[in-house]
Amino acid sequence: MAKTYTIGETAEMFGVPESTLRFYDKRGLLPFIERDEADRRVFTEMQISLLKTIQHLKNTDMTIGQIKQYVDWIVEGDATIPKRLAMLVAHRQDIYDQIAMREASLDGVNFKIARYEKYVNEQREKEND
Amino acid sequence: MAKTYTIGETAEMFGVPESTLRFYDKRGLLPFIERDEADRRVFTEMQISLLKTIQHLKNTDMTIGQIKQYVDWIVEGDATIPKRLAMLVAHRQDIYDQIAMREASLDGVNFKIARYEKYVNEQREKEND
DNA sequence: ATATCAGTTAAACCTCGGTTTAAGTCAAAC
DNA sequence: GTTTGACTTAAACCGAGGTTTAACTGATAT
């Protein structure tokens, strides 16, 4: 018997409200999810693993729509592996771009910080006259 | 006479629609902006420079509301420099966190890519039997 | 047996960050 | 003098990504 999780346990595990998991399910991000006798969602390792992937994709600004495409391809089976591979390779480039943009903007912010620090230090010196 | 720019020129310069610049103005992100005789916005180096800062902050997911706070402090004068400095230092940490999260998720994506590449290569080998 | 707790649904609601629309003004070109 | 082009406004609209609400079900504890 593989371990399973309730929606509450899963939500806590991922640090999201249960409503978010229900929203993802409604949007088709959690295929193959089963229900118990009382119609409650049963999260298996498969869902947990998929949710981890979904979090990586979300953390890197992939839209729900694109994630759904990826999940739909998983549902279609191994024949879509080349498509999934191409999607992830393209997305990896997006991630590189996101990081590069942030590093560039970080430089701009650091420049401002340096100017403000200089000003603050000069004011402090004047006071200590 | 310092060079000035129309909203159209400024929009093109920053690669955004004019409506975005009007929207920023309405939200208070462009203080000190003047108008010509025909009530058209006149963008000076001051606005251009502020827009560059705004772009850095937006590129690193600072909200319009926070950016407005920063701009309001600029309007208030040099007395708010310590507050601005503190805000930017806190924001710099946010940027570090954003980059770190993306690098972690990049690892996850790369792991998936490696698995898919392995699969694709194995399938290719089978075909070449 | 009844209260509590964890789950269920559909639908309404919300915020954010713009974008679009409609109607108008003004300067320059023809 | 009228058309064209670039600008102006207020207000309506939009898509993304959830969140909240209301009403309900079913299992467990007292």
Side-chain angles (χ1 to χ4, degrees):
Chain A
M1 303 275 144
K3 175 120 181 50
T4 64
Y5 305 86
T6 66
I7 196 172
E9 287 165 343
T10 309
E12 186 173 14
M13 187 167 171
F14 283 91
V16 300
E18 300 176 11
S19 62
T20 298
L21 297 179
R22 294 195 187 99
F23 171 71
Y24 289 170
D25 188 17
K26 191 160 34 175
R27 292 305 201 86
L29 266 40
L30 300 174
F32 309 126
I33 196 168
E34 315 224 336
R35 302 299 186 110
D36 68 9
E37 322 73 46
D39 202 38
R40 288 172 298 210
R41 290 172 184 82
V42 176
F43 290 76
T44 66
E45 280 308 325
M46 192 194 194
Q47 273 73 45
I48 302 303
S49 165
L50 185 48
L51 277 169
K52 281 178 190 161
T53 299
I54 290 171
Q55 271 212 336
H56 288 319
L57 298 178
K58 267 180 36 65
N59 284 344
T60 51
D61 301 344
M62 186 178 283
T63 63
I64 299 276
Q66 290 173 106
I67 296 173
K68 174 154 183 1
Q69 171 68 275
Y70 178 78
V71 171
D72 285 350
W73 279 333
I74 292 177
V75 173
E76 280 188 54
D78 286 359
T80 64
I81 284 181
K83 290 178 183 178
R84 288 183 245 164
L85 174 56
M87 181 186 226
L88 292 187
V89 167
H91 185 60
R92 172 168 60 185
Q93 185 57 53
D94 287 353
I95 301 175
Y96 289 147
D97 294 348
Q98 291 165 24
I99 291 173
M101 207 180 58
R102 277 165 177 81
E103 281 171 347
S105 288
L106 178 60
D107 287 350
V109 168
N110 272 329
F111 189 80
K112 286 269 159 196
I113 286 176
R115 283 188 33 75
Y116 285 148
E117 278 174 342
K118 182 158 175 271
Y119 176 93
V120 167
N121 285 334
E122 281 170 6
Q123 288 311 108
R124 198 174 30 66
E125 278 167 34
K126 275 191 194 157
E127 275 164 31
N128 291 349
D129 257 2
Chain B
M1 301 281 141
K3 175 121 183 45
T4 65
Y5 305 87
T6 66
I7 197 172
E9 289 164 342
T10 310
E12 187 172 13
M13 187 169 171
F14 283 92
V16 299
E18 301 176 10
S19 61
T20 298
L21 297 179
R22 294 195 186 98
F23 170 72
Y24 289 169
D25 187 17
K26 191 160 33 175
R27 293 303 202 86
L29 303 193
L30 300 173
F32 310 127
I33 196 166
E34 314 223 337
R35 302 298 186 111
D36 70 8
E37 322 72 47
D39 203 37
R40 288 172 299 210
R41 289 171 185 81
V42 176
F43 290 75
T44 66
E45 281 307 326
M46 193 193 192
Q47 272 72 45
I48 302 302
S49 164
L50 185 49
L51 278 169
K52 282 178 189 161
T53 299
I54 290 171
Q55 272 212 334
H56 288 319
L57 299 178
K58 267 181 33 66
N59 284 343
T60 50
D61 301 344
M62 188 179 282
T63 64
I64 300 277
Q66 290 173 106
I67 296 172
K68 175 156 183 356
Q69 171 69 277
Y70 178 78
V71 170
D72 285 349
W73 279 333
I74 292 176
V75 174
E76 279 188 56
D78 286 358
T80 64
I81 285 181
K83 289 179 183 177
R84 288 182 246 163
L85 174 56
M87 181 187 226
L88 292 187
V89 167
H91 185 60
R92 172 169 59 186
Q93 186 57 54
D94 288 353
I95 301 175
Y96 291 146
D97 293 348
Q98 291 166 24
I99 291 173
M101 209 180 56
R102 280 167 176 80
E103 282 171 347
S105 289
L106 178 59
D107 287 349
V109 169
N110 273 327
F111 189 80
K112 284 268 159 197
I113 287 176
R115 281 188 34 76
Y116 285 148
E117 278 174 344
K118 181 157 175 272
Y119 176 91
V120 167
N121 285 334
E122 282 169 4
Q123 288 310 107
R124 199 174 32 65
E125 277 166 37
K126 276 190 196 159
E127 277 164 31
N128 291 349
D129 257 1

